Amino acid sequence: DEMEAYNKAINIFNSIQNQYCLKPSDKYNFSNEKLLEWPDIRDSLNRSFSEDRVISVTSIKFSDNWFSHTEDNISVISTADWKDVFSPPGLHCYLLLEFALSVYFHASDISEAHANPHVETIGCMLDMCSNKLDNKWKLKAGYICSNHSADFLKFGGNEEQIEALQK
């Protein structure tokens, strides 16, 4: 059940580190969408939440075939096709990785567009993974490489936050 995995991922995320706290909410509903258009969804969430940092999860697919997007204070994670690409492990593991990626961008001044993801898959959370099946390796490795850690520190993050994200 997706809701059970969602709640499990939030509970795990909150319990294994003390830098960030995720709070579930059902304030925004994507049910009218067939495909998510990132700029439109981002703008709508910005209007709905204005100053809040938001990580929204939906089962609707992005039109650009990405699993998630983050810009400014807004992140949207799609669970569409996760079984084909990530399973096993379970959905909660996939959500934990996506939560960590969202927080990586939210906690620093690095934008998704300027994150310099790895073209080759090395197991870093910021691998591009053009071949979606490579996401399993990224999910299992779950670390932030030294280059992306340095960028995070340079653009506003701190050591405790990096450690929390890798947990």
Side-chain angles (χ1 to χ4, degrees):
D1 172 61
E2 284 197 17
M3 188 54 83
E4 187 176 311
Y6 170 76
N7 288 324
K8 183 176 182 178
I10 288 173
N11 290 334
I12 291 170
F13 189 88
N14 289 338
S15 69
I16 60 174
Q17 49 77 39
N18 63 5
Q19 294 290 308
Y20 311 100
C21 182
L22 301 180
K23 296 176 187 168
S25 171
D26 58 3
K27 183 177 172 182
Y28 192 87
N29 188 339
F30 293 97
S31 63
N32 296 332
E33 307 294 330
K34 292 188 187 328
L35 278 178
L36 298 179
E37 298 291 339
W38 172 238
D40 297 338
I41 293 298
R42 178 204 58 221
D43 294 346
S44 178
L45 285 166
N46 267 324
R47 284 189 300 276
S48 296
F49 292 94
S50 61
E51 299 299 317
D52 295 334
R53 292 190 185 275
V54 174
I55 301 173
S56 189
V57 178
T58 181
S59 60
I60 301 169
K61 192 178 209 167
F62 279 104
S63 62
D64 61 10
N65 204 30
W66 284 42
F67 285 110
S68 64
H69 281 287
T70 298
E71 193 173 323
D72 303 323
N73 291 335
I74 304 294
S75 295
V76 178
I77 300 165
S78 172
T79 60
D81 299 332
W82 78 269
K83 280 184 185 177
D84 298 335
V85 179
F86 292 102
S87 184
L91 177 58
H92 69 282
C93 294
Y94 163 68
L95 289 172
L96 282 167
L97 172 70
E98 290 294 338
F99 290 163
L101 283 169
S102 295
V103 170
Y104 175 90
F105 293 118
H106 288 217
S108 68
D109 288 331
I110 301 170
S111 71
E112 178 180 277
H114 297 97
N116 298 317
H118 302 282
V119 175
E120 299 294 320
T121 302
I122 65 167
C124 175
M125 284 193 265
L126 286 118
D127 287 350
M128 175 59 80
C129 296
S130 297
N131 175 4
K132 285 193 169 188
L133 293 177
D134 287 344
N135 279 292
K136 279 189 183 187
W137 185 24
K138 175 171 76 170
L139 181 65
K140 290 176 184 176
Y143 83 101
I144 301 171
C145 74
S146 59
N147 289 340
H148 285 110
S149 292
D151 286 349
F152 183 82
L153 297 172
K154 186 166 96 177
F155 291 100
N158 64 49
E159 292 286 346
E160 292 82 18
Q161 291 170 322
I162 284 284
E163 186 178 316
L165 289 173
Q166 293 188 114
K167 283 183 178 180

